[in-house]
Amino acid sequence: MARFGKYTFVIYLLSALAALELIALAAVLAGPAVPAAAAAETAAAPEQMPAWLEPAPQREELPEEKEPPPGERTAAEILEEQRIIAHGMGAIAGRATLNCLEGFQAQYENGVRVFEVDLRLTADQQVVLRHDWQAGVSETSVPTLEQFLDKPLLGRFTPLSFQDLLRLMEQYPDVCVVTDTKFTDAEIVKLQFEAMVRDGAELGLSYLFDRMIIQVYDQLMFRVVDSVRHFDYYIYTLYTDGFARTEADFREKADFCAENGVMGITMWDYWWQEDYASIAREKGLKVFAHTVNDPEQALALLAEGVSAVYTDELTPGDLAEEPETGAENQASAEEGEEDHGADGKDTIQREDL
């Protein structure tokens, strides 16, 4: 150590400073003394969570899902027996595609059991029955659900929401519905069908989707819809996707349907060719034509292999080959009263749905 003698003082000073720093660091780590009671209170107090990490508010509990009534038939079973599909819920007072309660009631009384409905989104992203918005309505002036339901169609007919439609289907268990959602844009399709599925869950009526046939307008739309919810029954409608009107193109469309569980193809009445019938039978598909309002044309299409026609105004009686006898008419009337009550369903208002 002798040779370090002249540095001894400096070494001792540095050692003392290091010791002081260690003591200070220990004091900081130990922290001030906290009374036991205060320490317990601090431990019990929950740590405040940043607002952006707070969980989203829980939605109201959904009602228990209702069970279908005994013997409830599916859309496919109902459609199998029908040759008429009421376009836009059927004409009323000479006006087509109003999709109103009164149109449904009138067509139902005339024996129609399959109803095509046009569906659109309101400004608040609710689904309503509407073919197109009236003149002057732009993307920035689409009504909300409340505004739409508050204004009678043509000043006298009852507009319907998708939830109204579900309640109507619950009250009429012998009808099925074909949807026409208009758009193929993936984002809009997703919004529409999510809203429809949500409506079913909120009413506890999701089982009614088994009585719906979903129209899709191209193959991408089918995949988008099926990703939101798998529906048992689809129809591939060709007027948006395009159709070359050849047997080869029809077979290509039919192959897609057969491979993906799509029950049928819909096309304009003037696109139909009788040669398509054998391809449809081979693939186990039905073909539907729209929009046909002449009974002779409808009967000719049906004779050539079309399964059913969309129509504004035709009823099953218009396609009857022989008129019913008076006794049969009386029996049908009595059966209708037994099934639905002597007062009928035509007195239903939206508030009854």
Side-chain angles (χ1 to χ4, degrees):
M1 294 288 295
R3 56 184 176 150
F4 298 108
K6 62 179 180 179
Y7 302 110
T8 302
F9 174 77
V10 176
I11 293 171
Y12 286 157
L13 179 61
L14 292 174
S15 299
L17 289 173
L20 289 172
E21 289 181 358
L22 288 172
I23 293 169
L25 180 60
V28 170
L29 292 174
V34 179
E41 182 179 346
T42 301
E47 185 176 343
Q48 186 172 3
M49 184 177 292
W52 59 272
L53 282 178
E54 290 285 350
Q58 295 295 312
R59 295 180 57 183
E60 293 184 9
E61 186 175 351
L62 295 174
E64 184 177 352
E65 183 67 27
K66 297 181 182 179
E67 293 292 330
E72 172 103 336
R73 295 190 300 164
T74 66
E77 292 170 334
I78 295 171
L79 184 57
E80 181 69 29
E81 301 173 354
Q82 305 298 318
R83 299 189 293 173
I84 291 288
I85 302 172
H87 180 219
M89 294 277 271
I92 183 75
R95 297 294 296 267
T97 67
L98 288 181
N99 293 274
C100 64
L101 176 62
E102 293 79 6
F104 170 85
Q105 292 168 335
Q107 295 299 92
Y108 185 90
E109 289 301 315
N110 285 324
V112 176
R113 293 297 181 267
V114 184
F115 294 84
E116 185 241 26
V117 299
D118 302 299
L119 301 173
R120 285 187 177 267
L121 278 172
T122 61
D124 48 349
Q125 297 184 6
Q126 303 298 310
V127 178
V128 296
L129 276 61
R130 183 72 182 177
H131 186 274
D132 55 296
W133 301 115
Q134 64 270 27
V137 173
S138 66
E139 291 184 6
T140 58
S141 60
V142 171
T144 63
L145 174 65
E146 182 178 0
Q147 290 167 340
F148 174 77
L149 295 179
D150 193 48
K151 186 177 181 180
L153 303 172
L154 302 181
R156 55 185 172 137
F157 298 119
T158 308
L160 298 170
S161 69
F162 188 72
Q163 286 201 0
D164 292 331
L165 175 66
L166 291 174
R167 295 187 186 99
L168 202 58
M169 292 178 68
E170 183 184 23
Q171 294 192 30
Y172 290 82
D174 56 344
V175 305
C176 74
V177 163
V178 180
T179 67
D180 185 355
T181 50
K182 301 300 181 187
F183 298 99
T184 59
D185 181 86
E187 288 78 10
I188 296 178
V189 169
K190 191 169 185 294
L191 283 174
Q192 280 184 303
F193 280 89
E194 285 176 345
M196 291 159 62
V197 170
R198 185 170 60 248
D199 280 346
E202 288 179 356
L203 296 178
L205 292 175
S206 298
Y207 78 87
L208 290 173
F209 290 124
D210 290 341
R211 281 202 276 127
M212 285 191 183
I213 302 165
I214 309 300
Q215 284 192 113
V216 296
Y217 313 112
D218 58 38
Q219 296 177 18
L220 174 60
M221 180 184 174
F222 167 76
R223 295 186 176 91
V224 172
V225 173
D226 211 55
S227 71
V228 174
R229 184 192 195 276
H230 173 70
F231 295 88
D232 287 341
Y233 306 109
Y234 291 92
I235 290 177
Y236 188 178
T237 299
L238 302 183
Y239 64 78
T240 296
D241 202 22
F243 179 44
R245 302 174 66 177
T246 64
E247 288 188 47
D249 196 18
F250 184 83
R251 181 174 291 278
E252 182 180 328
K253 301 289 194 296
D255 285 341
F256 172 82
C257 293
E259 290 165 5
N260 290 278
V262 176
M263 69 182 296
I265 293 174
T266 296
M267 64 177 67
W268 293 111
D269 57 319
Y270 52 86
W271 283 359
W272 167 255
Q273 296 181 30
E274 193 170 0
D275 293 339
Y276 301 154
S278 60
I279 301 173
R281 285 194 299 270
E282 175 190 336
K283 300 295 181 180
L285 304 176
K286 296 182 179 298
V287 180
F288 309 95
H290 63 94
T291 303
V292 182
N293 290 317
D294 178 73
E296 291 185 4
Q297 182 192 7
L299 287 169
L301 288 167
L302 294 167
E304 291 176 359
V306 170
S307 297
V309 296
Y310 294 69
T311 180
D312 297 315
E313 56 195 37
L314 295 180
T315 68
D318 295 320
L319 303 184
E321 296 180 2
E322 295 182 6
E324 292 181 325
T325 65
E328 288 172 335
N329 281 326
Q330 179 64 28
S332 298
E334 291 174 356
E335 181 181 355
E337 290 184 0
E338 180 180 348
D339 288 345
H340 304 293
D343 56 348
K345 295 268 189 173
D346 56 341
T347 58
I348 290 179
Q349 305 297 321
R350 184 194 296 109
E351 54 267 26
D352 297 322
L353 296 177

